[in-house]
Amino acid sequence: MMIVDAHQHYWLPSRGDYGWLAQAPMALRRAFLPADLCAQREAAGVNFSVLVQAAPSEEETRYLFELAHLDPAVVGVVGWVDLEADDVGARIDALIRDGGGLLRGLRPMAQDIADPDWLARPSLDRAFDCIQDCGLTFDALVGMPQLPALCRRLRRHPQLSVVLDHAGKPAIADGRFDQWTSWIDELAQHPQLHCKLSGLLTLLDEPVHEDAIEPYVADLFTHFGAERLLWGSDWPVLTTHADFGHWLHVAQTLTERYAPGSQADVFAANAVRFYALDIESPVTNPV
């Protein structure tokens, strides 16, 4: 079975634009590049990946284009652009041109912006018009404080192709469920919204066991169905809690439990369709 990782990162801290790393666990404050991942990805049987921005700069997006050329498994890039810039349309056009077909979507780091209502600002309407008109997708990097604004943005742009990163970052470690699931219920009413089955293990704190994610995963399948969920590793953030292959196994087990027979969709087809990835199933040798 072909597997597409819909959410992974590379970064090089010495570039100087990863401000959030200063508050990240020490283990993440180093370079994570193709040489660090390729063997793990191959051992896990993952064929392709979508590389997602990790710094709020257009320069980093262009750096990801460079890395994508060094890593044949990368078939798409989700980048960053200044959505508040007066010339946002020209900036997006330039990234599309420079990406040579790699740019599949854009992601502001909304969770790090002080105003939780930022995504709903009318001043961003033009930028979202441009994203939509260019045929790009939108990755929503939000936590629960930003979910109401995301709902309002979806009402303003009902045709926008959106994917919710890391299931909206529920407060799993605190055992809080009701508030999160009520927002997921509202978000799921928008048929163009997809959701990433990613980043859940890293929401756990000791001594909470990884089984704590199961009711959240079950709820995602209830609300989005197997046809709107995309698996992602969230590597290397994942490495603070598990290795690449372990998270893939956990996700496959839960998918088979709550959506039997849907592995091909959750682990490949949905990502290919959502990001319009130009890939073919790899040829496997007969046993």
Side-chain angles (χ1 to χ4, degrees):
M1 181 183 77
M2 181 175 72
I3 300 178
V4 177
D5 181 351
H7 196 106
Q8 64 123 128
H9 306 285
Y10 290 136
W11 58 67
L12 183 63
S14 61
R15 293 186 57 260
D17 49 3
Y18 307 91
W20 63 275
L21 274 176
Q23 286 76 47
M26 187 62 67
L28 296 180
R29 300 181 202 176
R30 67 170 182 86
F32 286 91
L33 296 170
D36 300 301
L37 175 63
C38 289
Q40 297 179 61
R41 188 170 53 202
E42 184 176 353
V46 174
N47 309 101
F48 302 105
S49 74
V50 175
L51 187 54
V52 180
Q53 64 82 225
S57 74
E58 292 161 28
E59 291 76 15
E60 194 240 5
T61 298
R62 291 184 169 88
Y63 175 64
L64 296 183
F65 295 153
E66 295 175 14
L67 291 179
H69 291 301
L70 300 176
D71 182 355
V74 174
V75 289
V77 170
V78 175
W80 184 95
V81 73
D82 184 356
L83 297 184
E84 296 180 289
D86 292 338
D87 61 344
V88 63
R91 290 168 180 257
I92 292 174
D93 288 342
L95 286 176
I96 292 173
R97 181 188 65 244
D98 294 347
L102 281 168
L103 189 69
R104 310 314 307 153
L106 292 167
R107 184 177 88 147
M109 303 180 82
Q111 67 173 11
D112 298 330
I113 294 173
D115 179 8
D117 293 325
W118 180 80
L119 276 176
R121 289 183 181 179
S123 60
L124 298 182
D125 286 358
R126 184 162 53 89
F128 281 100
D129 287 342
C130 291
I131 293 173
Q132 188 170 293
D133 293 346
C134 289
L136 297 175
T137 61
F138 175 68
D139 265 58
L141 176 62
V142 295
M144 285 197 289
Q146 293 86 28
L147 291 178
L150 177 59
C151 288
R152 296 201 298 278
R153 174 53 59 191
L154 290 173
R155 289 194 289 270
R156 296 171 79 92
H157 281 83
Q159 302 306 315
L160 186 68
S161 294
V162 183
V163 63
L164 179 65
D165 288 355
H166 315 320
K169 295 196 168 182
I172 302 176
D174 297 334
R176 289 183 289 161
F177 188 85
D178 292 346
Q179 183 185 21
W180 172 81
T181 196
S182 67
W183 284 117
I184 292 298
D185 185 62
E186 180 169 346
L187 288 166
Q189 305 307 310
H190 299 270
Q192 85 286 10
L193 179 80
H194 290 61
C195 181
K196 287 186 180 177
L197 182 58
S198 63
L200 296 178
L201 292 184
T202 55
L203 298 175
L204 301 176
D205 295 326
E206 294 290 348
V208 180
H209 191 269
E210 67 182 30
D211 289 348
I213 75 170
E214 183 166 349
Y216 296 86
V217 173
D219 200 64
L220 292 176
F221 278 105
T222 297
H223 280 97
F224 293 106
E227 66 277 5
R228 285 199 282 159
L229 287 175
L230 291 64
W231 175 77
S233 68
D234 196 25
W235 186 94
V237 182
L238 170 69
T239 62
T240 62
H241 285 68
D243 64 36
F244 192 95
H246 178 71
W247 165 235
L248 175 60
H249 174 72
V250 169
Q252 288 175 325
T253 299
L254 292 173
T255 297
E256 193 58 32
R257 184 173 300 162
Y258 292 103
S262 67
Q263 301 272 351
D265 292 325
V266 175
F267 293 89
N270 294 344
V272 172
R273 183 176 59 252
F274 179 79
Y275 284 120
L277 302 175
D278 184 16
I279 58 177
E280 297 180 2
S281 179
V283 176
T284 55
N285 296 320
V287 177

